[in-house]
């Protein structure tokens, strides 16, 4: 086959089967693709770079995913070559020969390595058993393995595909005893810190030792119930706070035979902390016992979904489904924990295979049948839950900690020690966890959970009746309640509800309510043709909306009551007949009751209360509004939202009964714009709601060891019109050229990012600088950051998500350019919070974003970098986000280019 390697500006190198290499444009590429199937790497990214449609190819990235599942590589020829330790020439055209070296290396490794899944059987399935439309690599793999394209027995091959049969089961154990309450001394903590540092010969940092000493109060025993010891600590970049809190956390857990939960906001930090635990537990088996990464159910591969995909008839006639199932089987067989949203799952697989064939295999619709599932004892989620009960360190995320606390019952034993890293995000995490949405999507999913999938659809969504009927078949009262549930559930939106609302043909009370909400939003929105979401206040309501809301509330109440009865009835039945039920039946009843209670508590009760409040006014603790969610200019969802004005209230109320010690930490905790620098973080973390005695609270700051005055420049460009996309693009191009790459461009709006990308791409490519872009390259942000990190002279365009997940030490990041002052969006929710928290609320949020972005720039004592803001309107009062000794220069673009050139 010929080899295709993209170059730039719609051009690529083409190595023919005769060995002739040529540089051709997109038109010639399209013509060649009509008759030839090339070898390339990462078809979606290549097609995007060449600005052509995706095409049939021998994709080296697919071959890598098959041969080395659960291993990460940058999704490029150079990235794979580096992973495989294959020599790579600097010239792009020489990557053609490198591609052949990679293929030979991978095939040889497949032949020689032990496999946890049968590569031949899976390759045959992916090749659709010799079908010419099957996976292109299939025949090559089978030939090299000495295996036939058609199996001796199709039944045996299908059984081999059932990789879940090879997975290890978990087994129930007695509950662990309660943890002790012994404090950790400074000597014990410092000794553990030195042990961690010695494992990888890390440098000695006095700031890190001071940090470790400062956090110890969070591990001290409490004196009063519901009065945990709280420590709020800011550690500047370079202090080494991760090991600084892992040292006392691991020491306390071992000394007291208990668990410490480390909670983060981003997946990147979860992964980083998990990697740091290798220092203490280099043996993988020991680490698996001592450390667990926990996420919500929707983050893990569901084995029942995978089985459905394997058994799907589409595998016989859809090569994309066959390829995806094969690669997912290979990964699932070797994955450490089945974490599909991080962990050892390569993010670029989503781009290759599609969202539905990857992330869609997680339990994202609440359809888990728990103990009723054949894979229950091998379930990745259940394994994670059970391991976390005995682990010393549980690496979780803010959302999971909050939801776990909110749903806990008196019989639950929750952790007592917490470290909230990325503590500046606690407010945002609580805002998401404790909000409520009554919308078309949410109510349709509720109907699907209760009634099951539409009869005309192939789905395993069985509905409540099929899950519960065998447990209540002899109970007339329970069966009557179940009938009531089914009758009232039919008032929720059925399939094609969006089309009916679009056509103005609402069916049922819920769709009528949503249709009237849509009407009110469009009637009162100033810009109804906006690309993004629309919103308006709930009151005053248009005609018929109040009455419809009242009727919908009655219908939802009529649905909630029999559900509550069924859950109570089953629990009573379990208590009375515990001696007659087998273990599986008990687990089934318990999980079913938990599911029902979660739906009624978190969704139905909230929806009913929201609708009831429309008759008068929203309670002062909440903000309500109607919305139309849009995607690329098209309506996607309609409904009503409710958020807490201060979401840390419910967060603290749920965690307070369990927590004995809390450390809230970050590099950007305090607000230098306020006389009381801790005022904002006390508010944003919820500490104000947990303490009545200041003795339980301590603050500290450990400054960064970096010399920001010598290592950085901060420049505000004062002659660029930020509303002129042409001027903004010119500024980005000139600044990126001056830095010669290594630059991150941050945008406050996706459409501005896309406009700038389109304008500057041709000019940037002429400079031999690779330009990566979020929302354009079709790659997940973690992969893009990794590509940017390795490609030292590349540039990356992104939004806030890029900033939050960025950790790029060294010369790969030497410039950050903000397109404008990152003011918060002035929506209904923000208006209510500004009223609650005062006029300085906007400044506090904006300073925090600037501080976090600037903190990405310098990650070691050798780094140098420039922080640029194109917005001349940046108020001086916001510059307190930056170090005091670094001058903020306000100069022209021309002056900035000269100054930056000399500095870098």
């Amino acid at each position: 086959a010929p080899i295709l390697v993209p170059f730039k500006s719609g051009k690529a190198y083409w190595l023919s089967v005769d060995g002739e290499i040529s540089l051709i444009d997109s038109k010639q590429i399209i013509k060649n693709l009509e008759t030839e199937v090339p070898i390339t790497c990462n078809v979606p990214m290549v097609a995007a770079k060449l600005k052509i449609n995706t095409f049939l190819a021998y994709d080296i990235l697919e071959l890598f995913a098959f041969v080395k599942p659960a291993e990460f590589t940058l999704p490029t020829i150079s990235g794979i070559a580096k992973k495989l330790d294959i020599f790579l020439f600097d010239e792009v055209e020489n990557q053609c020969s490198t591609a052949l070296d990679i293929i030979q290396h991978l095939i040889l490794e497949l032949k020689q390595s032990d496999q946890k899944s049968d590569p031949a059987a899976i390759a045959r399935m992916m090749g659709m058993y010799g079908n010419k439309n099957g996976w292109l690599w299939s025949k090559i793999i089978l030939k090299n393995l000495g295996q036939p394209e058609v199996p001796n027995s199709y039944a045996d091959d299908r059984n081999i595909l059932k990789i879940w049969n090879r997975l290890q089961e978990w087994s129930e154990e007695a509950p662990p005893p309660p943890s002790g309450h012994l404090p950790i001394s400074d000597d014990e903590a410092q000794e553990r810190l030195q042990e961690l540092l010695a494992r990888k010969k890390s440098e000695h940092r006095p700031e890190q030792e001071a940090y470790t000493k400062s956090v110890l109060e969070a591990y001290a025993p409490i004196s009063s119930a519901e009065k945990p010891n709280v420590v709020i600590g800011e550690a500047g970049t370079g202090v080494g706070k991760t090991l600084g809190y892992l040292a006392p956390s691991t020491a306390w857990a071992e000394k007291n035979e208990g668990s410490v939960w480390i909670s983060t906001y981003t997946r990147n930090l979860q992964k980083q902390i998990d990697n740091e635990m290798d220092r203490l537990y280099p043996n993988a088996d020991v680490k698996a016992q001592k450390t667990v990464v926990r996420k919500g159910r929707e983050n893990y591969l569901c084995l029942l979904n995978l089985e459905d995909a394997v058994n799907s008839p589409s595998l016989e006639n859809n090569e994309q489904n066959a390829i995806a199932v094969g690669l997912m089987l290979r990964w699932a067989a070797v994955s450490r924990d089945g974490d599909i949203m991080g962990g050892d799952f390569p993010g670029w697989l989503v781009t290759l295979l599609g969202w539905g064939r990857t992330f869609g295999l997680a339990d994202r619709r609440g359809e888990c049948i728990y103990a009723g599932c054949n894979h229950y004892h091998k379930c990745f989620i259940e394994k994670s839950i059970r391991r976390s009960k005995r682990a010393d360190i549980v690496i979780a995320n803010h959302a999971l900690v909050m939801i776990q606390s909110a749903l806990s019952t008196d019989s639950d034993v929750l952790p007592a020690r917490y470290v909230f890293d990325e503590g500046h995000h606690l407010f945002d995490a609580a805002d998401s966890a404790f909000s409520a949405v009554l919308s078309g999507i949410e109510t349709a999913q509720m109907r699907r959970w209760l009634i099951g999938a539409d009869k005309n659809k192939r789905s395993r969504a069985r509905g409540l009746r099929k899950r519960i009927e065998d447990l209540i078949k002899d109970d007339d009262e329970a069966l009557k309640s179940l009938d009531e549930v089914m009758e009232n559930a039919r008032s929720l939106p059925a399939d094609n509800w969006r089309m009916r609302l679009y056509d103005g043909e609402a069916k049922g009370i819920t769709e009528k309510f949503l249709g009237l909400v849509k009407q009110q939003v469009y009637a009162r929105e100033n810009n109804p043709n906006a690309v993004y979401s629309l919103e308006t206040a709930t009151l005053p309501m248009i005609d018929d909306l109040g009455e419809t809301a009242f009727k919908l509330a009655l219908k939802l109440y009529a649905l909630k009551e029999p559900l509550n009865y069924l859950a109570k009835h089953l629990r009573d039945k379990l208590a009375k007949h515990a001696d007659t039920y087998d273990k599986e039946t008990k687990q089934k009843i318990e999980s079913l009751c938990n599911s029902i209670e979660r739906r009624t508590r978190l969704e139905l009760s909230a929806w009913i209360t929201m609708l009831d409040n429309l008759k008068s006014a929203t309670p002062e603790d909440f903000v309500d509004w109607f919305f139309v969610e849009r995607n690329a200019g098209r309506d996607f969802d309609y409904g009503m939202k409710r958020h807490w004005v201060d979401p840390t209230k419910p967060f603290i109320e749920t965690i307070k009964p369990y927590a004995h010690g809390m450390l809230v930490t970050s590099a950007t905790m305090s607000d230098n714009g306020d006389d009381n620098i801790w005022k904002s973080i006390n508010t944003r973390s919820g500490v104000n709601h947990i303490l009545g005695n200041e003795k339980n609270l301590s603050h500290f700051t450990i400054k960064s060891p970096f010399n920001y005055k010598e290592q950085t420049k901060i420049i505000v460009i004062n002659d660029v019109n930020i509303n002129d996309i042409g001027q903004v693009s010119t500024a980005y191009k000139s600044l990126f050229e001056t830095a010669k790459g290594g630059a991150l461009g941050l945008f406050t709006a996706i459409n501005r990012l896309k406009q700038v990308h389109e304008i500057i791409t041709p000019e940037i490519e002429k400079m031999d600088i690779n330009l990566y872009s979020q929302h354009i390259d079709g790659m997940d942000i973690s992969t893009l950051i990794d590509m940017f990190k390795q490609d030292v002279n590349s540039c990356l365009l992104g939004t806030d998500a890029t900033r939050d997940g960025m950790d790029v030490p060294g010369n790969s990041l030497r410039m950050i350019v903000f397109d404008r002052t990152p003011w918060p969006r002035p929506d209904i929710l923000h208006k209510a919070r500004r009223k609650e928290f005062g006029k300085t609320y906007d400044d506090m949020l904006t300073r925090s974003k600037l501080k976090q972005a600037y903190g990405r720039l310098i990650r070691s004592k050798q780094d140098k970098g420039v922080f640029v803001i194109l917005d001349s309107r940046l108020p001086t009062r916001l510059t307190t986000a930056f170090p005091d000794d670094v001058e903020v220069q306000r100069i022209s673009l021309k002056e900035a280019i000269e100054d930056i050139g000399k500095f870098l």
Side-chain angles (χ1 to χ4, degrees):
I3 299 175
L4 173 65
V5 176
F7 183 47
K8 56 186 178 183
S9 299
K11 294 183 178 181
Y13 285 101
W14 183 278
L15 178 63
S16 71
V17 293
D18 297 324
E20 181 182 348
I21 190 166
S22 54
L23 184 63
I24 58 179
D25 60 19
S26 294
K27 289 184 179 179
Q28 185 61 47
I29 293 169
I30 294 171
K31 185 177 180 181
N32 288 1
L33 291 174
E34 291 175 357
T35 56
E36 296 185 89
V37 179
I39 295 168
T40 194
C41 181
N42 195 346
V43 169
M45 191 172 74
V46 171
K49 193 164 187 175
L50 298 176
K51 297 182 179 179
I52 62 176
N53 294 328
T54 55
F55 52 91
L56 185 64
Y58 291 91
D59 196 330
I60 296 173
L61 196 57
E62 290 179 358
L63 181 62
F64 180 91
F66 185 91
V67 177
K68 299 178 78 67
E71 292 193 33
F72 179 77
T73 178
L74 294 182
T76 60
I77 288 177
S78 59
I80 297 176
K82 185 175 182 179
K83 173 73 176 180
L84 301 179
D85 198 22
I86 293 174
F87 180 77
L88 180 71
F89 290 95
D90 292 335
E91 297 81 4
V92 175
E93 59 266 34
N94 286 322
Q95 290 189 16
C96 294
S97 59
T98 304
L100 294 175
D101 292 340
I102 290 172
I103 294 168
Q104 291 175 343
H105 186 111
L106 290 172
I107 293 295
L108 185 62
E109 181 167 337
L110 183 65
K111 292 169 67 175
Q112 295 178 342
S113 60
D114 294 332
Q115 304 291 323
K116 290 191 176 182
S117 59
D118 190 313
I122 293 178
R124 274 193 289 266
M125 181 273 295
M126 295 170 71
M128 295 159 66
Y129 304 105
N131 189 316
K132 65 178 181 179
N133 294 322
W135 192 40
L136 295 180
W137 291 113
S138 180
K139 293 181 180 180
I140 296 171
I141 288 172
L142 291 168
K143 181 178 179 180
N144 278 275
L145 292 176
Q147 294 286 332
E149 293 179 19
V150 178
N152 297 325
S153 167
Y154 283 96
D156 289 346
D157 246 29
R158 297 295 288 184
N159 282 329
I160 292 173
L161 295 182
K162 299 175 182 179
I163 59 96
W164 44 85
N165 290 335
R166 304 186 183 191
L167 299 179
Q168 187 176 359
E169 292 190 356
W170 55 262
S171 57
E172 291 286 4
E173 298 182 52
S179 62
H181 303 280
L182 299 173
I184 293 295
S185 69
D186 184 35
D187 288 344
E188 290 172 309
Q190 298 298 339
E191 183 179 349
R192 176 53 54 86
L193 176 61
Q194 297 310 314
E195 181 183 352
L196 290 168
L197 293 172
R199 289 290 173 93
K200 289 195 175 180
K201 299 180 180 179
S202 299
E203 63 181 5
H204 168 77
R205 304 183 202 177
E207 297 87 0
Q208 192 173 50
E209 294 175 0
Y211 178 92
T212 298
K213 183 176 182 179
S214 300
V215 305
L216 292 179
E217 189 60 33
Y219 303 88
I222 60 171
S223 302
S224 303
E226 299 197 8
K227 294 290 185 219
N229 297 314
V230 179
V231 177
I232 296 181
E234 181 172 78
T237 305
V239 166
K241 63 178 170 57
T242 303
L243 290 184
Y245 61 65
L246 283 179
S249 295
T250 55
W252 184 92
E254 289 180 10
K255 188 174 185 178
N256 291 283
E257 298 183 350
S259 291
V260 177
W261 278 50
I262 314 291
S263 180
T264 75
Y265 188 66
T266 60
R267 296 190 191 101
N268 275 353
L269 185 56
Q270 268 188 300
K271 190 172 183 178
Q272 178 185 324
I273 297 169
D274 183 40
N275 291 337
E276 292 286 11
M277 293 303 296
D278 291 341
R279 294 173 181 253
L280 191 61
Y281 308 117
N283 181 287
D285 292 334
V286 174
K287 181 185 174 184
Q289 294 177 347
K290 296 287 189 176
T291 304
V292 176
V293 178
R294 276 292 312 276
K295 299 180 182 179
R297 305 188 72 87
E298 69 281 358
N299 289 279
Y300 296 90
L301 174 71
C302 169
L303 292 175
L304 191 53
N305 281 344
L306 183 62
E307 181 182 11
D308 285 348
V310 169
N311 294 331
S312 172
S314 69
L315 297 192
E316 298 176 7
N317 52 34
N318 186 319
E319 69 273 15
Q320 292 304 314
N321 285 349
I323 293 169
V325 168
L327 294 182
M328 292 302 292
L329 285 171
R330 292 284 289 168
W331 171 76
V334 299
S335 176
R336 186 183 83 168
D337 55 10
D339 179 0
I340 208 169
M341 297 293 288
D344 54 20
F345 186 80
W348 40 257
L349 264 182
V350 182
T351 309
L352 281 185
L353 308 180
W355 190 96
R357 300 184 183 104
T358 50
F359 291 168
L361 297 181
D363 177 28
R364 306 190 70 84
R365 292 180 171 176
E367 295 174 352
C368 182
I369 54 178
Y370 298 91
C373 177
N374 292 331
H375 308 301
Y376 184 63
H377 288 283
K378 296 181 178 181
C379 175
F380 289 120
I381 306 163
E382 296 298 328
K383 285 180 183 178
S384 175
I385 291 172
R386 280 155 181 79
R387 285 174 54 215
S388 67
K389 292 179 180 179
R390 296 181 173 277
D392 287 3
I393 301 295
V394 178
I395 307 167
N397 56 59
H398 298 343
L400 176 65
V401 170
M402 292 171 183
I403 293 299
Q404 179 176 259
S405 301
L407 293 176
S408 63
T409 63
D410 294 339
S411 61
D412 291 326
V413 179
L414 295 188
R417 304 286 168 176
Y418 297 90
V419 175
F420 290 102
D421 201 345
E422 298 179 305
H424 58 279
H425 280 305
L426 273 175
F427 190 96
D428 297 329
D431 190 30
S432 176
F434 295 101
S435 61
V437 183
L438 170 57
S439 72
I441 290 177
E442 297 297 326
T443 51
Q445 287 187 358
M446 175 69 82
R447 176 190 171 112
R448 194 170 189 267
W449 184 77
L450 291 169
I451 296 179
D454 186 271
K455 291 181 180 179
N456 298 322
K457 285 192 172 183
R458 177 180 173 82
S459 172
R460 68 173 178 83
R462 302 184 301 168
L464 184 62
R465 185 180 293 279
K466 289 186 178 179
R467 298 181 188 185
I468 199 175
E469 208 163 28
D470 63 320
L471 299 172
I472 60 172
K473 57 187 177 183
D474 299 326
D475 192 312
D476 292 340
E477 193 65 31
L479 288 170
K480 180 181 176 182
S481 293
L482 181 59
D483 289 339
E484 290 178 23
V485 169
M486 295 299 111
E487 179 185 350
N488 289 295
R490 291 186 180 89
S491 64
L492 301 173
D495 287 348
N496 299 317
W497 59 270
R498 282 194 194 90
M499 186 62 68
R500 288 192 293 274
L501 289 180
Y502 180 81
D503 294 335
E505 299 176 356
K507 180 181 178 182
I509 189 65
T510 309
E511 290 184 21
K512 183 179 179 182
F513 170 77
L514 297 173
L516 290 169
V517 165
K518 173 187 175 184
Q519 180 182 333
Q520 178 164 319
V521 172
Y522 271 100
R524 297 176 185 173
E525 171 61 48
N526 293 328
N527 185 15
N529 296 317
V531 176
Y532 304 112
S533 302
L534 315 175
E535 61 179 35
T536 192
T538 56
L539 301 177
M541 289 181 286
I542 61 175
D543 293 345
D544 296 335
L545 183 49
E547 182 181 352
T548 303
F550 175 72
K551 291 179 179 178
L552 177 56
L554 292 178
K555 184 64 72 172
L556 293 176
Y557 186 80
L559 175 60
K560 174 187 169 184
E561 287 303 291
L563 277 172
N564 282 337
Y565 173 82
L566 287 172
K568 183 178 183 304
H569 175 77
L570 286 175
R571 288 203 184 278
D572 291 344
K573 195 171 183 180
L574 182 60
K576 291 179 181 178
H577 305 289
D579 57 336
T580 62
Y581 289 139
D582 58 35
K583 180 180 174 182
E584 298 297 328
T585 302
K586 289 179 181 178
Q587 289 176 334
K588 183 178 180 181
I589 292 174
E590 187 70 31
S591 60
L592 192 55
C593 290
N594 289 339
S595 295
I596 293 173
E597 288 165 357
R598 176 171 181 167
R599 296 276 179 173
T600 55
R601 285 170 58 187
L602 291 189
E603 293 180 283
L604 285 173
S605 295
W607 294 348
I608 293 167
T609 303
M610 289 160 65
L611 293 168
D612 283 344
N613 291 154
L614 287 175
K615 293 182 292 186
S616 51
T618 302
E620 62 179 14
D621 276 341
F622 299 100
V623 186
D624 292 343
W625 69 93
F626 294 144
F627 71 92
V628 174
E629 198 79 38
R630 312 197 83 204
N631 185 5
R634 301 190 65 178
D635 291 358
F636 182 69
D637 199 9
Y638 314 94
M640 178 181 178
K641 291 185 179 181
R642 163 166 285 186
H643 283 242
W644 285 77
V645 176
D646 181 357
T648 64
K649 282 186 178 180
F651 161 52
I652 292 302
E653 285 304 311
T654 56
I655 203 170
K656 191 164 57 173
Y658 310 102
H660 287 193
M662 290 171 52
L663 167 62
V664 183
T665 189
S666 169
T668 54
M669 296 294 291
S670 60
D671 179 20
N672 297 332
D674 199 294
D675 292 337
N676 179 356
I677 65 169
W678 296 110
K679 178 182 176 183
S680 63
I681 196 58
N682 285 353
T683 300
R684 301 281 292 175
S685 65
V687 168
N688 290 340
H689 307 304
I690 203 170
L691 296 171
N693 183 349
E694 287 297 315
K695 292 180 181 179
N696 296 77
L697 171 65
S698 63
H699 299 98
F700 72 89
T701 299
I702 307 291
K703 291 188 180 267
S704 171
F706 302 148
N707 186 344
Y708 286 109
K709 182 178 180 179
E710 296 296 325
Q711 293 181 256
T712 68
K713 276 188 173 295
I714 302 172
I715 297 173
V716 178
I717 306 296
N718 60 17
D719 64 345
V720 170
N721 181 356
I722 61 171
N723 296 316
D724 184 334
I725 203 67
Q727 291 190 40
V728 171
S729 299
T730 298
Y732 269 103
K733 177 197 65 99
S734 301
L735 291 166
F736 286 2
E737 181 179 15
T738 302
K740 299 178 182 178
L744 169 66
L746 291 175
F747 290 82
T748 53
I750 296 172
N751 63 324
R752 282 170 63 85
L753 182 156
K754 290 181 176 180
Q755 288 175 312
V756 169
H757 176 272
E758 183 176 359
I759 294 171
I760 71 173
T761 296
E763 296 298 320
I764 295 295
E765 287 185 340
K766 290 178 183 177
M767 306 170 197
D768 287 330
I769 295 174
N770 287 323
L771 180 64
Y772 305 115
S773 296
Q774 187 188 7
H775 302 292
I776 294 174
D777 285 331
M779 304 297 294
D780 67 289
I781 189 58
S782 295
T783 302
L784 281 175
I785 292 173
D786 284 330
M787 293 169 70
F788 172 67
K789 185 187 299 186
Q790 178 173 297
D791 191 351
V792 177
N793 295 321
S794 65
C795 294
L796 173 63
L797 304 181
T799 58
D800 279 0
T802 311
R803 179 203 68 215
D804 290 339
M806 179 73 71
D807 183 18
V808 182
N811 204 34
S812 290
L813 179 60
R814 49 191 180 269
M815 175 185 284
I816 294 176
V817 184
F818 238 126
D819 73 324
R820 59 171 61 188
T821 306
W823 295 111
R825 184 183 173 192
D827 54 21
I828 291 173
L829 178 59
H830 179 71
K831 181 180 178 181
R833 286 178 176 161
R834 186 166 52 186
K835 181 179 178 181
E836 172 73 13
F837 299 122
K839 295 180 180 179
T840 60
Y841 183 65
D842 286 355
D843 287 0
M844 179 194 69
L845 294 182
T846 308
R847 268 193 299 267
S848 177
K849 287 187 177 183
L850 291 172
K851 194 173 184 179
Q852 291 164 42
Y854 176 78
R856 304 296 95 192
L857 193 58
I858 304 298
R859 312 299 287 178
S860 74
K861 291 182 178 180
Q862 290 73 42
D863 289 358
K864 289 185 75 173
V866 182
F867 190 80
V868 182
I869 301 176
L870 300 181
D871 191 350
S872 63
R873 301 173 301 179
L874 176 75
T876 302
R877 67 181 184 276
L878 296 184
T879 60
T880 56
F882 308 121
D884 295 337
D885 59 349
V886 181
E887 178 190 2
V888 177
Q889 298 175 268
R890 294 180 181 267
I891 55 180
S892 68
L893 178 60
K894 182 180 179 181
E895 291 172 310
I897 290 170
E898 294 173 356
D899 204 11
I900 293 169
K902 293 176 184 177
F903 180 73
L904 291 180

